[in-house]
Amino acid sequence: MPHRSLGIRIRRVKEGLVLGFRDEALLLSDSAEFIYRSADGHRSVADIAAEVAAEYGIDHSEALDDVTELLVDLAANGIFEW
């Protein structure tokens, strides 16, 4: 199950949630922040996708694709671990 990596700096700014890693910063969209907060190491990717589908009123398969893509991208930057 995906979980957040240690050492990631998190800041709330006017525009949203910013993650600091290495020497970079990433501003998360509302939906990306929802996914980031949901990936707590206790929920599966399918569980998170179901929550995203319910929250944003989208099809579960679309939510699953979106959640998977975001988590893979964030894992590639060391923000998540599997």
Side-chain angles (χ1 to χ4, degrees):
M1 290 190 217
H3 61 280
R4 294 174 224 134
S5 299
L6 298 176
I8 303 301
R9 296 174 309 281
I10 303 169
R11 297 280 186 266
R12 168 67 59 194
V13 296
K14 181 179 174 183
E15 296 82 10
L17 192 69
V18 175
L19 305 179
F21 57 100
R22 297 188 299 259
D23 62 346
E24 299 178 43
L26 176 65
L27 176 64
L28 298 180
S29 67
D30 289 338
S31 58
E33 180 179 345
F34 185 89
I35 294 167
Y36 178 80
R37 292 191 179 283
S38 296
D40 57 6
H42 300 286
R43 295 177 180 103
S44 69
V45 173
D47 293 338
I48 297 167
E51 292 176 11
V52 168
E55 178 72 18
Y56 293 96
I58 62 174
D59 180 71
H60 185 267
S61 63
E62 180 183 352
L64 184 59
D65 289 345
D66 291 347
V67 168
T68 301
E69 180 180 351
L70 178 66
L71 293 178
V72 166
D73 287 348
L74 294 178
N77 285 301
I79 296 171
F80 272 95
E81 298 175 8
W82 297 88

